[in-house]
Amino acid sequence: MVDTGTTGLYISDKFFYSILRRSKGFRNCRVDLKTEGNNLQSLSASRPNPHFLVFPIKFPWLDESKAHLIVLGLAFIENGEITFDVDEGRISFHSDPTPKDKPH
């Protein structure tokens, strides 16, 4: 799920702790999404970005024995564009590999 009102990364509770037990924390994350054309679109974020915060979350309606949920926030999309086409039911990501300078 992409949430433009979230800054970092939320991971369903059980999945979060299973990852944490096998790692030494969350330094970076890359999510590969399959496009309609069967290509991969990658969204990523890492610790140098102050928006990259990782938290567990419980979704009362989610049966974690069947599925997990990952919510990607601003850290994953701030160096590009995201377009929601609600009429067509599509989301487009256009990434810019060069981070934009923040105004001072």
Side-chain angles (χ1 to χ4, degrees):
M1 176 188 303
V2 175
D3 182 348
T4 59
T6 296
T7 55
L9 177 67
Y10 285 93
I11 303 173
S12 56
D13 198 51
K14 288 181 183 176
F15 191 39
F16 175 91
Y17 289 109
S18 72
I19 294 169
L20 195 58
R21 278 192 295 276
R22 293 178 284 169
S23 68
K24 295 181 180 179
F26 295 88
R27 290 182 182 82
N28 57 56
C29 179
R30 185 180 87 196
V31 177
D32 295 325
L33 307 167
K34 190 179 280 192
T35 67
E36 289 178 322
N38 228 13
N39 297 313
L40 288 180
Q41 170 74 46
S42 296
L43 298 175
S44 61
S46 62
R47 288 306 280 161
N49 183 327
H51 292 129
F52 184 67
L53 304 170
V54 183
F55 297 104
I57 190 167
K58 289 187 181 199
F59 298 97
W61 43 265
L62 180 66
D63 180 355
E64 288 194 65
S65 67
K66 296 181 180 178
H68 297 290
L69 185 61
I70 297 172
V71 181
L72 306 175
L74 183 62
F76 290 85
I77 58 175
E78 68 184 350
N79 289 322
E81 293 180 5
I82 183 171
T83 304
F84 295 93
D85 185 337
V86 294
D87 294 331
E88 295 292 324
R90 294 183 174 157
I91 299 174
S92 300
F93 300 99
H94 305 281
S95 58
D96 181 356
T98 310
K100 296 178 179 36
D101 290 330
K102 304 282 186 239
H104 299 286

